[in-house]
Amino acid sequence: MTSSEFLSKFKSKYLWGNLLAMLVVVILLGIGVRFGIDAYTHHGESIAIPDIRHKNWADAEKILENAGLKIEVSDTGYVKTLPPDCILEQSPAPGELVKSGHVIYVTVNASSTPSLALPDVIDNSSLREAMAKLTAMGFKLGAPQFIPGEQDWVYGILVNGRHVVAGDRIPVGATLIIQVGNGQRDASDSIDMVGNPFEEEPVGGSSDEDEFEEVTEADAEETSGGQSSHNNSTE
């Protein structure tokens, strides 16, 4: 190809038209990507999270929906003074700025009192071990009740004055009273000594003691005279 032919093709409108079309496509793609990402990420948009705490589920869901936000339950709790399905906590906190479509995670009040199974601590652990285990599980403990028995040994647990055993379901708000030994022996455990050799005999002697009758001289003569007359009559 000669230089004149090359220059003629370089000056061709068809070539420059293709190059211009490619440039326009690249520019449009760049603009589309930029604005598309901004629209997808809601660039420059911010919504203040409304306070939905202590509102029921239906109202909270409607408030967030109107604000362009979503709601999702992350946990449940229990507050006796609040109605069931009431919002106890929310995350993120009220007032924080988020973008449209953001999910607000909430803690909902349970419809009934949650309960926990009592672990095996009765007659199986010391007071310190039982308190540590029960507290870690979320139980509420009252002042221990000391009873006769081995020092610091757990003998029972009371809930509202009633004895409970391992495996019983206990409401988380109930107070547990641990019955623990005070180191003293119960009076019923004392040993009665039978036949104490040091026990004094009663005055007057024992009831099994032989009784002796004192014989006077007159009685002896009377007895002797009676025997003699008996012998004479026999002869």
Side-chain angles (χ1 to χ4, degrees):
M1 177 183 295
T2 62
S3 57
S4 58
E5 291 178 350
F6 176 76
L7 291 175
S8 62
K9 289 185 177 181
F10 186 75
K11 295 178 181 180
S12 172
K13 294 180 180 181
Y14 178 78
L15 176 62
W16 284 103
N18 288 337
L19 293 175
L20 182 60
M22 292 174 62
L23 180 61
V24 171
V25 170
V26 171
I27 294 174
L28 292 177
L29 285 175
I31 296 174
V33 170
R34 181 180 182 279
F35 286 99
I37 293 176
D38 289 344
Y40 180 76
T41 59
H42 303 283
H43 179 71
E45 178 186 0
S46 61
I47 300 174
I49 300 176
D51 189 356
I52 58 174
R53 292 172 298 180
H54 296 178
K55 298 184 181 297
N56 61 51
W57 171 264
D59 292 342
E61 187 178 24
K62 186 175 181 179
I63 292 172
L64 293 180
E65 184 179 353
N66 293 336
L69 303 173
K70 299 178 181 179
I71 186 172
E72 185 173 328
V73 177
S74 61
D75 198 2
T76 58
Y78 183 75
V79 177
K80 188 177 181 179
T81 57
L82 294 177
D85 293 334
C86 178
I87 306 300
L88 301 178
E89 296 293 338
Q90 64 180 95
S91 179
E96 291 191 18
L97 299 178
V98 296
K99 297 176 181 179
S100 177
H102 193 85
V103 178
I104 308 301
Y105 296 95
V106 297
T107 301
V108 179
N109 196 30
S111 58
S112 59
T113 306
S115 60
L116 297 172
L118 185 70
D120 186 14
V121 295
I122 300 174
D123 203 21
N124 192 34
S125 60
S126 66
L127 176 61
R128 178 175 297 181
E129 293 171 345
M131 292 181 66
K133 190 170 186 177
L134 294 174
T135 303
M137 294 180 63
F139 286 104
K140 181 180 177 182
L141 302 180
Q145 182 184 88
F146 291 93
I147 61 176
E150 184 179 344
Q151 183 73 32
D152 290 335
W153 189 250
V154 175
Y155 286 97
I157 294 179
L158 298 175
V159 177
N160 297 326
R162 180 179 61 88
H163 282 277
V164 293
V165 296
D168 287 351
R169 304 292 300 186
I170 311 298
V172 293
T175 301
L176 275 64
I177 305 298
I178 302 177
Q179 292 183 317
V180 58
N182 58 7
Q184 298 179 1
R185 182 182 294 275
D186 193 351
S188 62
D189 295 337
S190 61
I191 301 176
D192 295 332
M193 296 185 64
V194 180
N196 190 348
F198 301 101
E199 183 179 2
E200 296 182 358
E201 294 184 358
V203 178
S206 172
S207 59
D208 296 335
E209 184 179 356
D210 295 337
E211 297 182 357
F212 296 94
E213 182 180 357
E214 184 179 356
V215 180
T216 63
E217 183 178 355
D219 294 336
E221 292 178 356
E222 182 180 355
T223 304
S224 175
Q227 290 179 351
S228 298
S229 59
H230 176 71
N231 292 332
N232 292 331
S233 61
T234 303
E235 292 176 356

